[in-house]
Amino acid sequence: MVPALRFLGGACRRARGEFPGGFPRAGGPAPGRPWPLCWGVRSGSTSSFDIVVVGGGIVGLGTARALILRYPALSVGVLEKEKDLAVHQTGHNSGVIHSGIYYKPESLKAKLCVQGAALIYQYCNQKGISYKQCGKLIVAVEQEEIPRLQALYERGLQNGVQGLRLIQQEEIKKKEPYCRGLMAIDCPYTGIVDYRQIALSFAHDFQEAGGSVMTNFEVKDIEVAKESPPRSRDGMKYPIVIKNTKREEIRCQYVVTCAGLYSDRMSELSGCSPDPRIVPFRGDYLLLKPEKSYLVKGNIYPVPDSRFPFLGVHFTPRMDGSVWLGPNAVLAFKREGYRPFDFSARDAMDVIINSGLSKLVFQNFSYGVNEMYKACFLGATVKYLQKFIPEITTSDILRGPAGVRAQALDRDGNLVEDFIFEGGVGDLGNRILHCDG
């Protein structure tokens, strides 16, 4: 049986705008009764919501939580294709709470990173979620890196990052006794956390507020209804029909998609342009053996090359006490392929034919070859790591997990930082918001 849903009267405005207040509260679970975390929809059944969020990662769950807490009179549902929540990008990352130093001043990414770091710490404190504000050093190991480091420091100040300092060799040693470097940026506000734990807490908040989560619901079609559902009293109140691979459907007034690695396909599914295209890059991590974890206290990062969207191989302590080294950045031939030989013909053809990858590869050929070389030969990665911590040897390293990053590319091979897929065609135009950029 499908748990009873709330059916609320009234219309709402566009998902990105303001929602009217004062909706009458309709039926739902008894006060204080928790909603089930994961449930499916019966074959042939129809459920209706004011707003549906597609995607059960941290972005989708955070969006759904914010909507229902801000507009409690609206019925909101979350659709997730997997049987569990937050299992892809949310659960496959290094867990760093970034301070906001890297991003272009005044960009959306810079503003959201600085504000988001403060909100994450605040939320974790409220919910009792463990984190460590262990800080980060961005270390220059070559003279030619120092001008880039100083420019990055100035960028961090412009972005309003708290507590930044430029430090010399002596202070580097005080903070990281085994790290060598000529100069570093000390970022004390950087921390580490388990983002999947935060995402699941968002899901709990969302359900406690009356939201509904449907797992095992892989969206395959989004269309405008031609007629009202059989035996429905709502008529055409819910004009958008979302169908899954099992021919089950959900109806709603508005859709917000937060589909991560599939954000361009969700955009195309609704009739919107799929550009910029998503190109998946796999990042492989190494693990420092437990008996060698004393070599690293906090996050240690290289000075990034501004030509690329990757921060370089770095040292990252984890909440469980382990230390991750990485990631590299190699092209993945499957959007959710976490193993080196995972392959999807459709994903591979998308990358080759539809994106601007060929131009990006041509422009950055040597960088790509170097990343592939380090991915294949452990010794090459260890040699790079020894620039920062000379004591590390190949025997101290274990193969670790991998993640897949969604990188947006336009057709000219340019990396796209801030973007939003918005709207659809025809009657869907003002009813769908795609927020993944």
Side-chain angles (χ1 to χ4, degrees):
M1 290 292 292
V2 179
L5 304 179
R6 298 183 300 164
F7 294 94
L8 306 178
C12 61
R13 299 178 204 167
R14 300 178 64 174
R16 69 171 181 172
E18 295 182 1
F19 293 85
F23 282 79
R25 193 174 282 277
R33 179 182 176 185
W35 285 62
L37 182 58
C38 300
W39 51 276
V41 182
R42 293 175 300 175
S43 179
S45 69
T46 301
S47 300
S48 302
F49 298 91
D50 292 315
I51 304 173
V52 164
V53 177
V54 178
I58 196 169
V59 177
L61 293 169
T63 299
R65 175 184 178 272
L67 283 170
I68 204 165
L69 292 180
R70 190 173 299 180
Y71 308 104
L74 297 177
S75 57
V76 184
V78 171
L79 306 181
E80 167 56 43
K81 69 184 178 72
E82 305 292 355
K83 65 182 178 68
D84 295 313
L85 298 173
V87 297
H88 288 296
Q89 290 191 97
T90 303
H92 288 81
N93 62 77
S94 58
V96 176
I97 304 172
H98 285 287
S99 59
I101 190 172
Y102 295 105
Y103 311 118
K104 182 180 178 182
E106 300 301 320
S107 69
L108 183 61
K109 206 167 187 178
K111 293 176 181 177
L112 293 181
C113 191
V114 173
Q115 295 171 12
L119 290 172
I120 284 177
Y121 286 130
Q122 179 183 347
Y123 183 80
C124 289
N125 287 331
Q126 291 173 350
K127 297 293 180 177
I129 297 173
S130 297
Y131 66 87
K132 295 177 183 176
Q133 194 172 324
C134 55
K136 171 171 66 179
L137 293 184
I138 304 173
V139 183
V141 294
E142 308 288 349
Q143 281 290 342
E144 55 264 29
E145 293 176 336
I146 290 178
R148 296 208 316 266
L149 184 76
Q150 292 171 328
L152 187 63
Y153 171 72
E154 294 297 329
R155 171 173 284 196
L157 294 180
Q158 291 179 59
N159 289 343
V161 178
Q162 297 184 26
L164 290 183
R165 295 188 307 140
L166 274 176
I167 62 175
Q168 306 299 322
Q169 295 182 46
E170 296 78 11
E171 286 196 81
I172 293 174
K173 284 290 184 183
K174 288 179 182 178
K175 286 190 164 290
E176 292 287 351
Y178 296 94
C179 179
R180 65 173 288 268
L182 303 177
M183 184 183 291
I185 299 174
D186 179 18
C187 308
Y189 203 59
T190 300
I192 55 174
V193 74
D194 181 344
Y195 278 110
R196 187 163 189 262
Q197 189 177 0
I198 292 177
L200 295 180
S201 181
F202 284 170
H204 179 77
D205 294 345
F206 172 66
Q207 291 178 301
E208 284 288 302
S212 299
V213 175
M214 285 149 281
T215 56
N216 289 311
F217 195 105
E218 184 174 357
V219 175
K220 282 298 181 185
D221 194 21
I222 303 174
E223 63 183 21
V224 176
K226 296 180 176 61
E227 58 184 17
S228 61
R231 299 182 297 277
S232 171
R233 298 180 181 180
D234 296 314
M236 294 297 287
K237 177 183 174 183
Y238 303 101
I240 300 177
V241 181
I242 304 173
K243 297 180 180 179
N244 70 2
T245 54
K246 303 173 186 175
R247 303 175 66 87
E248 298 161 345
E249 66 180 45
I250 298 290
R251 293 202 175 207
C252 60
Q253 295 191 54
Y254 297 88
V255 179
V256 181
T257 73
C258 306
L261 285 154
Y262 291 90
S263 54
D264 54 344
R265 291 184 186 169
M266 282 294 107
S267 178
E268 191 171 26
L269 203 61
S270 74
C272 184
S273 168
D275 294 323
R277 292 281 183 171
I278 296 300
V279 176
F281 285 87
R282 192 183 74 254
D284 298 307
Y285 287 91
L286 301 173
L287 291 175
L288 198 57
K289 286 183 177 180
E291 60 268 26
K292 292 290 184 177
S293 60
Y294 67 88
L295 293 173
V296 179
K297 288 187 173 182
N299 295 281
I300 303 174
Y301 276 63
V303 181
D305 190 326
S306 60
R307 295 174 298 169
F308 309 110
F310 312 109
L311 301 181
V313 174
H314 45 267
F315 302 77
T316 303
R318 301 278 293 174
M319 290 301 298
D320 62 4
S322 63
V323 177
W324 286 15
L325 314 172
N328 55 14
V330 295
L331 182 65
F333 290 101
K334 185 177 181 181
R335 293 200 177 198
E336 290 166 353
Y338 303 108
R339 294 169 298 187
F341 299 105
D342 283 348
F343 180 82
S344 162
R346 182 185 178 187
D347 293 349
M349 292 302 291
D350 256 3
V351 166
I352 294 168
I353 296 173
N354 295 324
S355 73
L357 180 68
S358 58
K359 295 180 180 179
L360 179 70
V361 169
F362 179 77
Q363 295 164 4
N364 305 285
F365 184 75
S366 60
Y367 179 87
V369 169
N370 185 50
E371 287 297 300
M372 291 294 292
Y373 180 75
K374 286 192 292 185
C376 295
F377 298 99
L378 179 61
T381 302
V382 172
K383 185 177 180 180
Y384 176 80
L385 294 171
Q386 287 172 337
K387 292 182 178 181
F388 301 88
I389 299 182
E391 284 82 357
I392 287 181
T393 65
T394 305
S395 62
D396 298 329
I397 304 296
L398 301 171
R399 291 285 182 183
V404 178
R405 169 184 176 139
Q407 180 60 55
L409 286 184
D410 65 20
R411 292 186 181 273
D412 292 324
N414 298 312
L415 302 168
V416 182
E417 287 284 329
D418 296 338
F419 69 93
I420 194 164
F421 298 111
E422 185 178 353
V425 296
D427 294 333
L428 290 177
N430 289 335
R431 293 185 175 269
I432 298 183
L433 182 68
H434 306 275
C435 50
D436 295 282

Short mmCIF file of all heavy atoms in Angstrom, two decimals, residues 336-376:
data_model
loop_
_atom_site.label_atom_id
_atom_site.label_comp_id
_atom_site.label_asym_id
_atom_site.label_seq_id
_atom_site.Cartn_x
_atom_site.Cartn_y
_atom_site.Cartn_z
N GLU A 336 28.08 6.75 -14.08
CA GLU A 336 28.18 6.31 -12.70
C GLU A 336 29.08 5.09 -12.62
O GLU A 336 28.82 4.13 -11.88
CB GLU A 336 26.78 6.03 -12.13
CG GLU A 336 25.99 7.33 -11.94
CD GLU A 336 24.51 7.12 -11.72
OE1 GLU A 336 24.05 5.96 -11.84
OE2 GLU A 336 23.81 8.11 -11.43
N GLY A 337 30.18 5.14 -13.36
CA GLY A 337 31.14 4.04 -13.40
C GLY A 337 32.30 4.31 -12.47
O GLY A 337 33.16 5.15 -12.77
N TYR A 338 32.35 3.61 -11.37
CA TYR A 338 33.37 3.86 -10.34
C TYR A 338 34.58 2.94 -10.46
O TYR A 338 35.52 3.08 -9.69
CB TYR A 338 32.74 3.75 -8.95
CG TYR A 338 31.56 4.68 -8.78
CD1 TYR A 338 30.26 4.20 -8.74
CD2 TYR A 338 31.75 6.06 -8.70
CE1 TYR A 338 29.17 5.05 -8.60
CE2 TYR A 338 30.68 6.92 -8.57
CZ TYR A 338 29.40 6.41 -8.52
OH TYR A 338 28.33 7.26 -8.39
N ARG A 339 34.52 2.00 -11.40
CA ARG A 339 35.65 1.11 -11.63
C ARG A 339 36.31 1.45 -12.97
O ARG A 339 35.64 1.94 -13.89
CB ARG A 339 35.18 -0.34 -11.61
CG ARG A 339 34.66 -0.80 -10.25
CD ARG A 339 33.96 -2.13 -10.33
NE ARG A 339 32.78 -2.06 -11.20
CZ ARG A 339 31.90 -3.06 -11.34
NH1 ARG A 339 32.09 -4.20 -10.70
NH2 ARG A 339 30.86 -2.92 -12.14
N PRO A 340 37.61 1.20 -13.10
CA PRO A 340 38.35 1.64 -14.30
C PRO A 340 37.76 1.16 -15.62
O PRO A 340 37.83 1.87 -16.62
CB PRO A 340 39.75 1.05 -14.07
CG PRO A 340 39.88 0.93 -12.59
CD PRO A 340 38.51 0.59 -12.09
N PHE A 341 37.16 -0.04 -15.65
CA PHE A 341 36.69 -0.58 -16.92
C PHE A 341 35.16 -0.55 -17.05
O PHE A 341 34.61 -1.20 -17.93
CB PHE A 341 37.21 -2.01 -17.10
CG PHE A 341 38.72 -2.07 -17.13
CD1 PHE A 341 39.43 -2.55 -16.03
CD2 PHE A 341 39.44 -1.60 -18.22
CE1 PHE A 341 40.82 -2.58 -16.05
CE2 PHE A 341 40.82 -1.62 -18.24
CZ PHE A 341 41.52 -2.12 -17.16
N ASP A 342 34.49 0.20 -16.20
CA ASP A 342 33.04 0.38 -16.37
C ASP A 342 32.78 1.12 -17.68
O ASP A 342 33.46 2.12 -17.99
CB ASP A 342 32.46 1.17 -15.20
CG ASP A 342 32.30 0.33 -13.95
OD1 ASP A 342 32.42 -0.90 -14.06
OD2 ASP A 342 32.06 0.91 -12.87
N PHE A 343 31.77 0.66 -18.42
CA PHE A 343 31.55 1.22 -19.76
C PHE A 343 30.06 1.24 -20.08
O PHE A 343 29.33 0.30 -19.79
CB PHE A 343 32.28 0.38 -20.81
CG PHE A 343 32.12 0.88 -22.23
CD1 PHE A 343 32.90 1.92 -22.70
CD2 PHE A 343 31.16 0.32 -23.06
CE1 PHE A 343 32.74 2.40 -24.00
CE2 PHE A 343 30.99 0.79 -24.37
CZ PHE A 343 31.78 1.82 -24.83
N SER A 344 29.62 2.32 -20.67
CA SER A 344 28.27 2.45 -21.21
C SER A 344 28.40 3.01 -22.62
O SER A 344 28.98 4.09 -22.81
CB SER A 344 27.42 3.39 -20.34
OG SER A 344 26.28 3.83 -21.05
N ALA A 345 27.86 2.30 -23.59
CA ALA A 345 27.97 2.75 -24.99
C ALA A 345 27.30 4.10 -25.18
O ALA A 345 27.84 4.98 -25.85
CB ALA A 345 27.33 1.70 -25.92
N ARG A 346 26.13 4.29 -24.56
CA ARG A 346 25.43 5.57 -24.71
C ARG A 346 26.23 6.72 -24.09
O ARG A 346 26.37 7.78 -24.69
CB ARG A 346 24.05 5.50 -24.07
CG ARG A 346 23.28 6.80 -24.24
CD ARG A 346 21.95 6.81 -23.51
NE ARG A 346 21.29 8.10 -23.69
CZ ARG A 346 20.19 8.46 -23.05
NH1 ARG A 346 19.60 7.62 -22.21
NH2 ARG A 346 19.66 9.65 -23.26
N ASP A 347 26.75 6.48 -22.88
CA ASP A 347 27.52 7.54 -22.22
C ASP A 347 28.78 7.88 -23.00
O ASP A 347 29.16 9.05 -23.14
CB ASP A 347 27.89 7.11 -20.80
CG ASP A 347 26.68 7.00 -19.88
OD1 ASP A 347 25.59 7.46 -20.28
OD2 ASP A 347 26.83 6.44 -18.77
N ALA A 348 29.45 6.85 -23.53
CA ALA A 348 30.67 7.07 -24.30
C ALA A 348 30.37 7.86 -25.58
O ALA A 348 31.11 8.79 -25.93
CB ALA A 348 31.32 5.74 -24.64
N MET A 349 29.29 7.49 -26.27
CA MET A 349 28.94 8.21 -27.51
C MET A 349 28.54 9.65 -27.21
O MET A 349 28.86 10.56 -27.98
CB MET A 349 27.81 7.47 -28.21
CG MET A 349 28.21 6.11 -28.78
SD MET A 349 29.59 6.23 -29.96
CE MET A 349 28.79 7.09 -31.32
N ASP A 350 27.85 9.86 -26.10
CA ASP A 350 27.50 11.23 -25.71
C ASP A 350 28.74 12.09 -25.54
O ASP A 350 28.79 13.25 -25.98
CB ASP A 350 26.72 11.20 -24.39
CG ASP A 350 25.23 11.44 -24.60
OD1 ASP A 350 24.81 11.57 -25.75
OD2 ASP A 350 24.51 11.48 -23.58
N VAL A 351 29.73 11.53 -24.86
CA VAL A 351 30.97 12.27 -24.61
C VAL A 351 31.68 12.59 -25.93
O VAL A 351 32.15 13.71 -26.14
CB VAL A 351 31.89 11.45 -23.68
CG1 VAL A 351 33.31 12.04 -23.68
CG2 VAL A 351 31.34 11.43 -22.27
N ILE A 352 31.76 11.61 -26.82
CA ILE A 352 32.53 11.77 -28.05
C ILE A 352 31.83 12.67 -29.05
O ILE A 352 32.45 13.53 -29.68
CB ILE A 352 32.81 10.38 -28.67
CG1 ILE A 352 33.71 9.56 -27.75
CG2 ILE A 352 33.46 10.52 -30.05
CD1 ILE A 352 33.82 8.10 -28.12
N ILE A 353 30.52 12.49 -29.20
CA ILE A 353 29.79 13.16 -30.28
C ILE A 353 29.18 14.50 -29.85
O ILE A 353 29.28 15.49 -30.56
CB ILE A 353 28.68 12.24 -30.84
CG1 ILE A 353 29.31 11.00 -31.47
CG2 ILE A 353 27.82 12.98 -31.86
CD1 ILE A 353 28.29 9.96 -31.91
N ASN A 354 28.56 14.53 -28.69
CA ASN A 354 27.71 15.67 -28.35
C ASN A 354 28.39 16.76 -27.53
O ASN A 354 27.87 17.86 -27.44
CB ASN A 354 26.48 15.17 -27.59
CG ASN A 354 25.58 14.30 -28.45
OD1 ASN A 354 25.45 14.55 -29.64
ND2 ASN A 354 24.98 13.29 -27.84
N SER A 355 29.50 16.44 -26.88
CA SER A 355 30.13 17.45 -26.03
C SER A 355 31.30 18.12 -26.76
O SER A 355 31.66 17.73 -27.86
CB SER A 355 30.66 16.80 -24.74
OG SER A 355 31.81 16.03 -25.02
N GLY A 356 31.87 19.12 -26.10
CA GLY A 356 33.05 19.77 -26.66
C GLY A 356 34.33 19.15 -26.18
O GLY A 356 35.38 19.81 -26.14
N LEU A 357 34.28 17.84 -25.82
CA LEU A 357 35.45 17.19 -25.22
C LEU A 357 36.65 17.18 -26.14
O LEU A 357 37.78 17.38 -25.70
CB LEU A 357 35.10 15.76 -24.81
CG LEU A 357 36.24 14.98 -24.16
CD1 LEU A 357 36.58 15.55 -22.79
CD2 LEU A 357 35.91 13.50 -24.05
N SER A 358 36.44 16.94 -27.43
CA SER A 358 37.57 16.84 -28.35
C SER A 358 38.38 18.14 -28.36
O SER A 358 39.61 18.12 -28.40
CB SER A 358 37.09 16.50 -29.76
OG SER A 358 36.17 17.48 -30.22
N LYS A 359 37.68 19.27 -28.27
CA LYS A 359 38.39 20.55 -28.24
C LYS A 359 39.12 20.73 -26.91
O LYS A 359 40.24 21.26 -26.88
CB LYS A 359 37.40 21.69 -28.47
CG LYS A 359 36.78 21.68 -29.87
CD LYS A 359 35.81 22.83 -30.06
CE LYS A 359 35.20 22.80 -31.46
NZ LYS A 359 34.23 23.89 -31.67
N LEU A 360 38.50 20.29 -25.82
CA LEU A 360 39.16 20.39 -24.52
C LEU A 360 40.41 19.53 -24.49
O LEU A 360 41.46 19.96 -23.99
CB LEU A 360 38.20 19.95 -23.42
CG LEU A 360 38.76 19.97 -22.00
CD1 LEU A 360 38.96 21.40 -21.52
CD2 LEU A 360 37.84 19.22 -21.03
N VAL A 361 40.32 18.31 -25.04
CA VAL A 361 41.47 17.41 -25.08
C VAL A 361 42.59 18.01 -25.91
O VAL A 361 43.78 17.96 -25.53
CB VAL A 361 41.06 16.03 -25.63
CG1 VAL A 361 42.29 15.18 -25.92
CG2 VAL A 361 40.13 15.32 -24.66
N PHE A 362 42.26 18.57 -27.05
CA PHE A 362 43.26 19.18 -27.91
C PHE A 362 43.98 20.33 -27.21
O PHE A 362 45.20 20.48 -27.31
CB PHE A 362 42.61 19.67 -29.21
CG PHE A 362 43.57 20.32 -30.17
CD1 PHE A 362 44.43 19.56 -30.95
CD2 PHE A 362 43.62 21.71 -30.29
CE1 PHE A 362 45.32 20.16 -31.82
CE2 PHE A 362 44.51 22.31 -31.16
CZ PHE A 362 45.36 21.53 -31.94
N GLN A 363 43.20 21.12 -26.47
CA GLN A 363 43.78 22.29 -25.80
C GLN A 363 44.63 21.89 -24.59
O GLN A 363 45.53 22.63 -24.19
CB GLN A 363 42.65 23.22 -25.33
CG GLN A 363 41.85 23.84 -26.47
CD GLN A 363 40.53 24.44 -25.99
OE1 GLN A 363 40.23 24.46 -24.81
NE2 GLN A 363 39.74 24.93 -26.93
N ASN A 364 44.35 20.72 -23.99
CA ASN A 364 45.02 20.33 -22.75
C ASN A 364 45.56 18.90 -22.85
O ASN A 364 45.45 18.12 -21.90
CB ASN A 364 44.04 20.44 -21.57
CG ASN A 364 43.43 21.82 -21.45
OD1 ASN A 364 44.07 22.75 -21.01
ND2 ASN A 364 42.17 21.94 -21.86
N PHE A 365 46.15 18.58 -23.98
CA PHE A 365 46.55 17.20 -24.25
C PHE A 365 47.59 16.70 -23.24
O PHE A 365 47.47 15.59 -22.72
CB PHE A 365 47.11 17.10 -25.67
CG PHE A 365 47.47 15.69 -26.07
CD1 PHE A 365 46.48 14.77 -26.39
CD2 PHE A 365 48.79 15.28 -26.11
CE1 PHE A 365 46.81 13.47 -26.74
CE2 PHE A 365 49.13 13.98 -26.46
CZ PHE A 365 48.13 13.08 -26.78
N SER A 366 48.59 17.50 -22.95
CA SER A 366 49.67 17.04 -22.07
C SER A 366 49.15 16.79 -20.65
O SER A 366 49.56 15.83 -19.99
CB SER A 366 50.81 18.07 -22.04
OG SER A 366 50.34 19.33 -21.55
N TYR A 367 48.22 17.64 -20.19
CA TYR A 367 47.64 17.45 -18.86
C TYR A 367 46.88 16.12 -18.81
O TYR A 367 47.00 15.35 -17.84
CB TYR A 367 46.69 18.60 -18.52
CG TYR A 367 46.02 18.48 -17.17
CD1 TYR A 367 46.64 18.95 -16.02
CD2 TYR A 367 44.76 17.89 -17.05
CE1 TYR A 367 46.02 18.84 -14.78
CE2 TYR A 367 44.14 17.77 -15.80
CZ TYR A 367 44.77 18.25 -14.69
OH TYR A 367 44.16 18.12 -13.47
N GLY A 368 46.09 15.85 -19.83
CA GLY A 368 45.32 14.62 -19.87
C GLY A 368 46.20 13.38 -19.89
O GLY A 368 45.93 12.40 -19.20
N VAL A 369 47.27 13.43 -20.69
CA VAL A 369 48.19 12.29 -20.76
C VAL A 369 48.85 12.06 -19.40
O VAL A 369 49.00 10.91 -18.94
CB VAL A 369 49.26 12.52 -21.85
CG1 VAL A 369 50.37 11.49 -21.75
CG2 VAL A 369 48.62 12.49 -23.23
N ASN A 370 49.22 13.14 -18.72
CA ASN A 370 49.86 13.01 -17.41
C ASN A 370 48.91 12.39 -16.39
O ASN A 370 49.31 11.55 -15.57
CB ASN A 370 50.31 14.39 -16.93
CG ASN A 370 51.10 14.32 -15.63
OD1 ASN A 370 52.03 13.54 -15.49
ND2 ASN A 370 50.73 15.16 -14.67
N GLU A 371 47.63 12.77 -16.43
CA GLU A 371 46.65 12.19 -15.51
C GLU A 371 46.45 10.71 -15.78
O GLU A 371 46.33 9.90 -14.85
CB GLU A 371 45.31 12.94 -15.63
CG GLU A 371 45.30 14.32 -15.02
CD GLU A 371 45.55 14.29 -13.52
OE1 GLU A 371 44.76 13.67 -12.79
OE2 GLU A 371 46.53 14.91 -13.07
N MET A 372 46.42 10.33 -17.06
CA MET A 372 46.28 8.92 -17.41
C MET A 372 47.50 8.12 -16.96
O MET A 372 47.38 7.01 -16.46
CB MET A 372 46.09 8.78 -18.93
CG MET A 372 44.75 9.30 -19.45
SD MET A 372 43.35 8.35 -18.86
CE MET A 372 43.63 6.79 -19.70
N TYR A 373 48.66 8.72 -17.11
CA TYR A 373 49.90 8.05 -16.70
C TYR A 373 49.90 7.80 -15.19
O TYR A 373 50.22 6.70 -14.72
CB TYR A 373 51.09 8.91 -17.10
CG TYR A 373 52.44 8.32 -16.73
CD1 TYR A 373 52.98 7.26 -17.44
CD2 TYR A 373 53.16 8.83 -15.65
CE1 TYR A 373 54.21 6.71 -17.09
CE2 TYR A 373 54.39 8.30 -15.29
CZ TYR A 373 54.91 7.24 -16.02
OH TYR A 373 56.13 6.70 -15.67
N LYS A 374 49.50 8.81 -14.41
CA LYS A 374 49.47 8.65 -12.95
C LYS A 374 48.42 7.63 -12.53
O LYS A 374 48.58 6.94 -11.53
CB LYS A 374 49.21 10.01 -12.29
CG LYS A 374 50.41 10.95 -12.33
CD LYS A 374 50.24 12.14 -11.42
CE LYS A 374 49.16 13.08 -11.89
NZ LYS A 374 49.07 14.30 -11.06
N ALA A 375 47.32 7.56 -13.32
CA ALA A 375 46.28 6.59 -12.99
C ALA A 375 46.76 5.16 -13.21
O ALA A 375 46.35 4.23 -12.51
CB ALA A 375 45.04 6.86 -13.84
N CYS A 376 47.64 4.98 -14.17
CA CYS A 376 48.11 3.63 -14.51
C CYS A 376 49.31 3.19 -13.67
O CYS A 376 49.49 1.99 -13.44
CB CYS A 376 48.47 3.56 -16.00
SG CYS A 376 47.06 3.78 -17.10
#
